[in-house]
Amino acid sequence: MYRFQRLTLTTKTLHRHHNHCFFSQAAAAIIEEPPSIQTTLLDGLPEPGPLETIFAIPRSDSGKNVSAKERKAGRVPSIVFEQEDGQHGGNKRLISVKQNRIRNLTNELGRPFFLSRLFELDVRPQFESDEVIEKVRVLPRAVHLHAGTDEPLNVTFIRAPSHALLKVDIPLVFRGEDISPGLRKGAYLNTIKRTVKFVCPADLIPPFIDVDLSELDVGQKLLMGDLKVHPALKLVQSKDLPLVKISGGRASDKKSK
């Protein structure tokens, strides 16, 4: 069983970066610390990528008209949820981020990989300002894109301090298709899941999970429990649910039967 330690943050801690405090003291007063589990990176597993920065400015108002004005000005209306118990958002703060920054990140990384990566959110009074209101590590929780243009419409972030446990949909990367016995026989890969949800310590969120297909033959499948991940990651769904299956066979084999 997990053993939780309660951590109390003081006003001094909340103001250690700057006289301005972007996140409310009340919501950050008590944070649940995850269990005493191994939190060091392990060889052979994908490591978290470098912490890139997303600049943001505070936003006081919300609503359709405000959001439309923000987008017209090249900004994406966004929300930051404050991390309280490691899995649920607390009080929210309204911000705006640069549209081209989110567009570039989602295009370069891909939407699932953007949503499984940590970023440093650098909040300033204005984008061109040298004054820093707050710097906080966050995880993108959701990003909504325009159906026709893929332009980002809004983004939701959640705080990701080191002691947080976060539910994350980790994208799967399939390898070994070229040497899979089943695929070499002419069968096809039936992909059932492209992401899998885990509860992850914030410092150990993998950018992706490798799925090895190199030994799969016709009729064989891989289950969620077959994934090789850090032992600190906890699978949310049943370990017996399938991920992929090698289905079918060559047409010539079917005709000969």
Side-chain angles (χ1 to χ4, degrees):
M1 294 292 293
Y2 283 173
R3 295 182 291 106
F4 288 89
Q5 178 182 351
R6 194 170 293 275
L7 177 65
T8 301
L9 300 183
T10 64
T11 302
K12 181 178 179 181
T13 304
L14 289 167
H15 285 77
R16 66 183 180 273
H17 294 299
H18 198 272
N19 290 332
H20 298 280
C21 185
F22 179 63
F23 295 103
S24 70
Q25 299 174 23
I30 298 177
I31 297 176
E32 297 291 352
E33 193 172 63
S36 298
I37 54 179
Q38 183 181 6
T39 56
T40 55
L41 298 173
L42 300 180
D43 292 339
L45 296 177
E47 297 183 2
L51 196 65
E52 296 191 50
T53 299
I54 296 176
F55 290 96
I57 58 174
R59 179 167 53 91
S60 58
D61 299 319
S62 61
K64 291 184 177 180
N65 291 337
V66 173
S67 295
K69 290 180 180 179
E70 289 296 292
R71 297 184 188 109
K72 188 175 181 180
R75 299 187 292 265
V76 179
S78 307
I79 296 176
V80 182
F81 284 104
E82 298 188 44
Q83 194 64 28
E84 288 190 27
D85 65 359
Q87 295 183 23
H88 303 91
N91 293 349
K92 65 182 180 182
R93 287 293 178 267
L94 303 178
I95 60 170
S96 291
V97 296
K98 291 184 177 181
Q99 188 180 62
N100 59 358
R101 177 61 168 153
I102 302 302
R103 184 199 308 118
N104 291 340
L105 286 170
T106 54
N107 287 344
E108 292 172 7
L109 298 175
R111 185 176 178 274
F113 295 88
F114 172 72
L115 295 176
S116 64
R117 184 164 180 168
L118 296 176
F119 295 91
E120 181 177 72
L121 194 66
D122 188 323
V123 185
R124 306 189 176 206
Q126 299 296 330
F127 286 119
E128 64 276 7
S129 174
D130 292 329
E131 179 184 0
V132 178
I133 297 177
E134 183 80 5
K135 285 187 178 183
V136 60
R137 193 173 66 170
V138 296
L139 174 74
R141 176 62 78 202
V143 57
H144 296 131
L145 306 178
H146 188 280
T149 64
D150 280 342
E151 286 294 320
L153 299 178
N154 56 69
V155 186
T156 300
F157 299 97
I158 192 164
R159 290 184 68 187
S162 293
H163 47 261
L165 293 174
L166 300 169
K167 286 184 179 179
V168 188
D169 287 306
I170 309 297
L172 305 178
V173 174
F174 301 100
R175 306 185 190 278
E177 296 99 322
D178 56 332
I179 57 175
S180 163
L183 296 180
R184 289 175 65 89
K185 292 175 182 177
Y188 66 93
L189 181 66
N190 180 11
T191 304
I192 302 167
K193 296 287 290 185
R194 295 190 180 276
T195 64
V196 176
K197 188 183 295 292
F198 283 88
V199 175
C200 310
D203 289 343
L204 296 177
I205 298 174
F208 58 86
I209 298 173
D210 277 318
V211 181
D212 185 7
L213 306 174
S214 62
E215 298 182 2
L216 284 189
D217 209 333
V218 177
Q220 293 182 329
K221 60 185 176 182
L222 291 176
L223 307 178
M224 289 192 181
D226 295 324
L227 294 174
K228 294 181 180 179
V229 298
H230 195 286
L233 273 60
K234 181 181 177 182
L235 186 63
V236 173
Q237 296 173 284
S238 170
K239 65 179 182 179
D240 297 323
L241 292 177
L243 296 171
V244 294
K245 181 178 181 180
I246 306 296
S247 301
R250 293 179 298 185
S252 58
D253 290 341
K254 296 180 180 180
K255 291 179 181 179
S256 63
K257 291 181 179 180

